[in-house]
Amino acid sequence: MELSLAHPVVKAFMCGSLSGTCSTLLFQPLDLVKTRLQTLHSNMQPGSARVGMVTVFLSVVRTEKLMGLWKGVSPSFVRTIPGVGIYFSTYYSLKQHFIQEPGPGAVEAVLLGASARAVAGVCMLPVTVIKTRFESGRYNYGSVTGALRTVCQTEGPRALFSGLTPTLLRDAPFSGLYVMFYSQAKNALPQEISMSLYSPLANFCCGILAGVLASLVTQPADVVKTHIQVSPNVYKRTAHAVQYIYVEHGFQGFFRGGVPRSLRRTMIAAMAWTVYEHLMARMGLKS
């Protein structure tokens, strides 16, 4: 089946890609700080003072200059432009086929968001692995394509799918919970606000609330995913990474990097959904 540029699914893909591109460029520094926080303790001696988000931020600026905060933005773009497009076009397609008016309920919203994210996550996982390594500061890749080639030659193609389980355990529940919280919060808005000029701002606030709640629930899976993708030779299985984090750093180790990740994921998701819905409305489509 051929899809023209006028097809609703193609429009959803284009709107999603544009919204994801804008949000990624703005909030990439938070993702880099999150990755550094999650991997930093692997090189620290027992009893060392705990390093916080601001310390890592200033350290990156001091040693790698201001633009060092955008390290990994290239693979982020390579992942985001098609990845968010795949997510929103899958979400739109599933919603049109399986959801009746007036819209998805709580359970349906979870299934919609989780399914769309699982599809996009599997498709873009190789680029996600490269992005995580770029941000960790442990690898000196020159480009995304060069990094993909190097990993395939030295570690095998399978390394590009390292962390698949924790990635899906993080992304699918996050997206499912986000869509549920977001849709329920929007439904609770008074109709006069939903139909006013302030509706994009109201939707953005609903996205902030949904993002914070979903981020807190899925933070442990993000920490495990980062460890596996940065050191795939050390952690052969997801259970090994979980055991290491718990033994070395206790329960709180699963929430390391939670503040920058929560800020970034919340702001990106809120902005992406706000821009996506606005663009879809401008095109005359119901998101």
Side-chain angles (χ1 to χ4, degrees):
M1 180 181 68
E2 294 186 4
L3 297 179
S4 68
L5 292 177
H7 196 282
V9 174
V10 176
K11 290 182 178 180
F13 180 91
M14 295 169 62
C15 292
S17 296
L18 180 58
S19 67
T21 300
C22 296
S23 55
T24 296
L25 181 61
L26 286 175
F27 304 118
Q28 174 64 20
L30 289 172
D31 204 30
L32 181 135
V33 171
K34 179 268 299 183
T35 300
R36 295 289 176 91
L37 276 173
Q38 290 179 353
T39 57
L40 182 63
H41 61 257
S42 296
N43 296 325
M44 293 174 63
Q45 298 297 323
S48 299
R50 186 174 183 180
V51 178
M53 174 177 148
V54 175
T55 302
V56 172
F57 182 91
L58 295 176
S59 175
V60 172
V61 173
R62 185 171 57 253
T63 59
E64 304 175 42
K65 309 303 181 185
L66 183 63
M67 293 307 297
L69 292 169
W70 275 267
K71 194 170 187 177
V73 74
S74 295
S76 288
F77 278 143
V78 173
R79 182 187 69 161
T80 298
I81 293 176
V84 179
I86 291 171
Y87 170 77
F88 277 116
S89 58
T90 303
Y91 173 86
Y92 178 84
S93 181
L94 291 174
K95 186 177 179 183
Q96 295 302 309
H97 280 85
F98 298 108
I99 304 300
Q100 304 296 323
E101 292 293 343
V107 175
E108 293 172 326
V110 170
L111 294 176
L112 272 177
S115 299
R117 180 56 63 193
V119 171
V122 172
C123 292
M124 303 310 299
L125 186 60
V127 183
T128 302
V129 171
I130 299 303
K131 169 185 168 294
T132 303
R133 293 190 178 192
F134 262 97
E135 294 169 351
S136 72
R138 298 184 184 182
Y139 297 83
N140 296 316
Y141 298 132
S143 65
V144 177
T145 55
L148 290 168
R149 190 184 311 112
T150 299
V151 172
C152 286
Q153 291 174 348
T154 60
E155 303 175 48
R158 185 175 181 179
L160 292 174
F161 288 89
S162 60
L164 174 61
T165 299
T167 295
L168 292 180
L169 288 176
R170 177 199 66 170
D171 287 351
F174 175 89
S175 184
L177 291 170
Y178 182 91
V179 173
M180 181 191 71
F181 291 134
Y182 181 66
S183 61
Q184 297 302 306
K186 280 183 60 181
N187 291 338
L189 291 174
Q191 188 172 6
E192 55 268 25
I193 294 179
S194 300
M195 302 298 292
S196 71
L197 294 175
Y198 299 104
S199 61
L201 178 60
N203 292 345
F204 187 80
C205 292
C206 291
I208 294 291
L209 175 62
V212 170
L213 295 174
S215 292
L216 289 175
V217 175
T218 57
Q219 178 62 21
D222 184 69
V223 175
V224 175
K225 184 271 307 181
T226 298
H227 276 73
I228 293 175
Q229 291 181 344
V230 171
S231 305
N233 294 327
V234 177
Y235 309 110
K236 298 298 183 181
R237 296 183 179 179
T238 302
H240 295 162
V242 172
Q243 182 180 22
Y244 171 82
I245 295 169
Y246 182 76
V247 170
E248 294 294 324
H249 305 283
F251 183 72
Q252 66 270 24
F254 291 102
F255 291 89
R256 185 181 290 268
V259 173
R261 174 178 178 259
S262 180
L263 286 173
R264 176 185 174 275
R265 287 301 298 266
T266 297
M267 297 301 289
I268 280 183
M271 177 175 287
W273 273 90
T274 301
V275 173
Y276 165 75
E277 291 184 328
H278 180 71
L279 291 175
M280 291 289 281
R282 293 291 295 270
M283 292 183 179
L285 295 173
K286 184 176 177 61
S287 58

